[in-house]
Amino acid sequence: MLYRAIPSLKDYILVDAEAIHTEHFSLNKEKLWQMKEYNKINAEIFLAALNVKLPLEEIYEDCKL
């Protein structure tokens, strides 16, 4: 995927609009992409490049699932 070739890209998140399901891709120290899945509303995604926790509750706050 071309966006993975962007040198400054460290994380990206895919969000399912019909169910509580996100996929977080992050670039590790070996420069390999790793993926973590989240399926629980009380989960938090940690974006190490920004030192930020992103709660799924906030992602899905205005969604009616």
Side-chain angles (χ1 to χ4, degrees), residues 4-45:
R4 289 186 191 165
I6 300 170
S8 61
L9 185 66
K10 306 295 182 215
D11 294 276
Y12 71 94
I13 301 169
L14 302 177
V15 178
D16 188 331
E18 297 178 355
I20 296 173
H21 181 91
T22 60
E23 295 177 353
H24 172 217
F25 295 83
S26 59
L27 194 60
N28 65 22
K29 292 178 183 178
E30 292 80 32
K31 304 291 185 198
L32 299 173
W33 288 99
Q34 60 186 38
M35 189 263 293
K36 292 183 183 176
E37 291 184 89
Y38 300 86
N39 298 305
K40 297 184 179 183
I41 194 69
N42 61 343
E44 293 181 328
I45 299 171

